[in-house]
């Protein structure tokens, strides 16, 4: 598609309405608990084509997007309208792929180990960049998910704060899929308490700390539990369509 081409008219209407609906639900969730701090809406763009991403950037005022996969990010990067947009990496990151993204993203939300943090620091040093990072906490301590355990969080924070090319901004969590809203609320409330505990003691920077939690099925609850940034994908873009794998 050329620079000024958009998705078809029906898709434009759908995207506009979905972004507006998510924003309204975020506003209502914040109002319900009397919070006045701004909540950042980040659109998770896994499997989303560049033309849809550029449309919500240009026409809906989206200023934060997040990619989960290194290969997909690098493939899309040249086609994205990046002026004034903050790109986050929000998926599991392997050490051997760090060098491919450090020049393309503004924040890595998924730092979960000292070796990974050390590699990000090393690659950023090569290009003279200080990377904003969040530490991913495996709050449910699920074996199949990445993230540092709550017990290991203090040591990782200390290590990250000692690395000159990393700027620790806060925490991120991907909670377990819950059947009931109350289960989400317990997970997010526990994460917020951990966040409060470490914000005053271990985060040494002049920027406001960030707690990133809540996705399409849980972002309203997360806002009610004081999330600063929600990562919403399918609630705006619809069901993801994964490319077929070659047999």
């Amino acid at each position: 598609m050329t620079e000024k081409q958009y998705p078809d008219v029906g898709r434009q209407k759908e995207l506009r309405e979905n972004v507006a609906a998510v924003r309204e639900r975020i506003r209502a969730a914040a109002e319900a608990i009397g919070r006045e701090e701004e909540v950042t809406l980040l659109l998770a763009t896994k499997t989303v084509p560049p033309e849809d991403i550029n449309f919500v950037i240009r026409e809906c005022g989206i200023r934060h997007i997040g990619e989960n996969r290194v290969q997909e990010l690098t493939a899309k990067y040249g086609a994205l309208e990046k002026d004034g947009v903050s790109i986050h990496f929000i998926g599991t990151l392997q050490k051997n792929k760090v060098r491919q993204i450090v020049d393309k993203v503004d924040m890595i939300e998924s730092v979960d180990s000292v070796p990974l943090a050390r590699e990000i620091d090393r690659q950023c040093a090569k290009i003279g960049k200080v990377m904003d990072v969040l530490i991913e906490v495996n709050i449910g301590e699920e074996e199949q998910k990445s993230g540092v355990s709550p017990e290991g969080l203090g040591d990782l924070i200390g290590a990250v704060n000692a690395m000159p090319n990393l700027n620790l901004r806060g925490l991120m969590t991907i909670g377990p899929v819950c059947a009931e809203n109350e289960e989400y609320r317990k997970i997010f409330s526990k994460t917020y308490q951990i966040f409060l505990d470490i914000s005053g003691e271990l985060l040494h920077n002049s920027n406001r700390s960030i707690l990133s939690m809540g996705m399409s099925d849980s972002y309203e609850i997360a806002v009610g539990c004081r999330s600063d940034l929600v990562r919403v994908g399918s609630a705006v873009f619809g069901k993801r369509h994964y490319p077929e794998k070659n047999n």
Side-chain angles (χ1 to χ4, degrees), residues 2-247:
T2 61
E3 183 180 355
K4 293 300 182 182
Q5 286 179 309
Y6 292 163
D8 64 62
V9 173
R11 181 62 168 161
Q12 292 179 43
K13 182 174 184 291
E14 177 187 19
L15 291 172
R16 281 197 180 97
E17 289 177 349
N18 289 349
V19 170
V22 169
R23 282 177 167 151
E24 172 55 26
R25 290 179 182 135
I26 290 172
R27 185 205 63 76
E31 185 179 83
I33 62 167
R35 67 178 293 184
E36 298 180 354
E37 318 94 272
E38 181 181 357
V39 178
T40 298
L41 171 60
L42 177 146
L43 293 192
T45 52
K46 181 169 68 175
T47 78
V48 179
E51 55 266 28
D52 282 7
I53 300 170
N54 289 338
F55 179 79
V56 296
I57 288 170
R58 186 188 300 119
E59 301 297 327
C60 303
I62 293 298
R63 290 296 172 262
H64 296 80
I65 62 173
E67 280 288 345
N68 293 69
R69 298 170 174 172
V70 170
Q71 185 175 359
E72 187 174 352
L73 170 61
T74 56
K76 288 179 184 176
Y77 187 76
L80 296 177
E81 297 183 9
K82 297 176 282 287
D83 189 27
V85 176
S86 180
I87 301 177
H88 293 206
F89 190 82
I90 59 176
T92 301
L93 181 58
Q94 298 174 350
K95 287 190 300 177
N96 63 349
K97 295 186 177 180
V98 169
R99 62 180 176 78
Q100 299 179 45
I101 68 162
V102 290
D103 62 334
K104 298 176 177 66
V105 301
D106 302 289
M107 177 180 285
I108 297 174
E109 294 198 19
S110 48
V111 176
D112 63 358
S113 70
V114 172
L116 176 59
R118 192 176 291 127
E119 181 63 12
I120 297 169
D121 182 66
R122 188 172 77 90
Q123 295 296 337
C124 285
K126 291 180 179 180
I127 61 173
K129 180 174 185 175
V130 176
M131 180 72 72
D132 283 348
V133 299
L134 303 182
I135 289 178
E136 181 181 353
V137 184
N138 186 346
I139 197 68
E141 300 194 53
E142 300 172 273
E143 290 184 5
Q144 72 275 23
K145 286 191 176 175
S146 58
V148 65
S149 69
E151 293 74 24
L153 180 58
D155 288 344
L156 183 52
I157 287 173
V160 170
N161 272 330
M163 296 181 190
N165 298 288
L166 302 186
N167 180 31
L168 180 56
R169 298 293 310 279
L171 303 181
M172 181 268 260
T173 193
I174 301 174
V177 176
C178 299
E180 301 291 337
N181 286 350
E182 190 56 36
E183 294 178 47
Y184 280 120
R185 193 166 285 109
K186 288 179 181 177
I187 290 290
F188 292 151
S189 295
K190 180 180 178 181
T191 308
Y192 178 62
Q193 188 56 56
I194 292 172
F195 178 70
L196 285 182
D197 291 344
I198 61 102
S199 288
E201 299 173 18
L202 295 170
L203 295 180
H204 306 293
N205 59 70
S206 59
N207 299 307
R208 183 169 74 92
S209 300
I210 295 170
L211 176 58
S212 172
M213 62 182 186
M215 298 187 288
S216 286
D217 58 352
S218 60
Y219 68 90
E220 292 169 270
I221 303 167
V223 170
C225 294
R226 301 285 175 174
S227 175
D228 299 296
L229 183 152
V230 294
R231 309 178 305 274
V232 176
S234 58
V236 167
F237 296 112
K239 184 179 178 180
R240 291 190 173 100
H241 298 284
Y242 295 93
E244 294 184 7
K245 294 182 180 179
N246 295 323
N247 294 326

